[in-house]
Amino acid sequence: MKVLVPVKRVVDHNVKVRVKSDQTDVDIANVKMSMNPFDEIAVEEAMRLKEGGAVSEVVAVSCGVAQCQETLRTAMAIGADRSVLVQTDSELQPLAVAKILKSIVEKEEPQLVILGKQAIDDDSNQTGQMLAALLDWPQATFASKVEVNGDTVNVTREVDGGLETVSLKLPAVITTDLRLNEPRYVTLPNIMKAKKKPLETLTPDELGVDVEPRLKTLKVAEPAEREAGIIVPDVATLVDKLKNEAKVV
């Protein structure tokens, strides 16, 4: 069974993101970039399925600028067999990414697509669901456990009320949650091996996909600073302020 794992290049989660002075976007100049943490979990899960004998090949795919090759090399250092980069300098919104992935799925014909539930830069949580809709495949989002049994996959999902287990007929789309696994440490020998693994480069035009943005960002601004708290002398004063000033009681 072949598994396709989309990965996204984002600002490293340890970096404090700053807004550009003209408020058109966030400033990523000279900022450390890395693989989206949820996608890293997806790659790790694909590798565990392969090590368990349920998967024969893991293919990583990324969409974006040429530097996304670094992210794909990281995925291959974790263990992906090969990778595909759909290279473009255009802004890629979730629907455009889903359309690109649909074309890659039709080209590669995987039985399973595992991707992070959301990216930590835009937090859209849309791509996996859109991909499943475009492919007309069953989907399981927010996975905390994945078990492949023949032509079905059982997925334990994290929902508001606790946990929910669903059984999907393959092929299917799965999006990963934080508690699915702990990604492995990438060793130097595996980083060196990843440099020799195949990396195919395509463009949206070659796939016949229109990636023109459908949404326009009007302004990007820092969150408002929180006001300093105050100390009240007694409970009566606290209740009075909550009632008459904050108006929450």
Side-chain angles (χ1 to χ4, degrees), residues 46-189:
M47 291 313 305
R48 293 188 184 190
L49 291 173
K50 183 179 179 182
E51 291 164 356
V55 170
S56 58
E57 184 181 24
V58 177
V59 181
V61 58
S62 189
C63 311
V65 295
Q67 291 88 334
C68 290
Q69 290 187 31
E70 301 167 9
T71 308
L72 290 171
R73 293 293 179 194
T74 301
M76 290 189 287
I78 295 173
D81 299 288
R82 57 187 176 88
S83 59
V84 179
L85 170 62
V86 181
Q87 187 173 326
T88 176
D89 292 326
S90 301
E91 175 193 353
L92 292 177
Q93 295 176 353
L95 181 57
V97 175
K99 289 180 177 179
I100 290 173
L101 293 178
K102 176 178 181 287
S103 295
I104 296 294
V105 166
E106 291 171 346
K107 179 175 179 289
E108 293 287 342
E109 297 183 344
Q111 285 71 51
L112 190 61
V113 178
I114 306 178
L115 67 162
K117 70 173 185 177
Q118 65 194 75
I120 62 171
D121 52 3
D122 58 14
D123 277 328
S124 292
N125 182 19
Q126 295 176 339
T127 305
Q129 293 90 323
M130 288 178 170
L131 175 61
L134 291 172
L135 291 169
D136 196 23
W137 284 11
Q139 63 174 309
T141 54
F142 318 132
S144 61
K145 185 177 181 181
V146 176
E147 295 176 315
V148 176
N149 298 308
D151 63 347
T152 63
V153 56
N154 296 325
V155 180
T156 301
R157 303 178 60 239
E158 298 199 4
V159 295
D160 291 341
L163 298 176
E164 174 188 65
T165 301
V166 295
S167 181
L168 311 177
K169 279 281 189 182
L170 295 176
V173 175
I174 297 173
T175 69
T176 62
D177 214 327
L178 280 175
R179 281 158 288 279
L180 179 58
N181 60 52
E182 183 71 31
R184 67 192 68 189
Y185 179 76
V186 180
T187 62
L188 182 58

Side-chain angles (χ1 to χ4, degrees), residues 236-249:
T237 306
L238 173 62
V239 172
D240 179 67
K241 287 186 176 295
L242 289 174
K243 183 178 181 180
N244 299 312
E245 292 184 19
K247 300 187 184 300
V248 295
V249 295

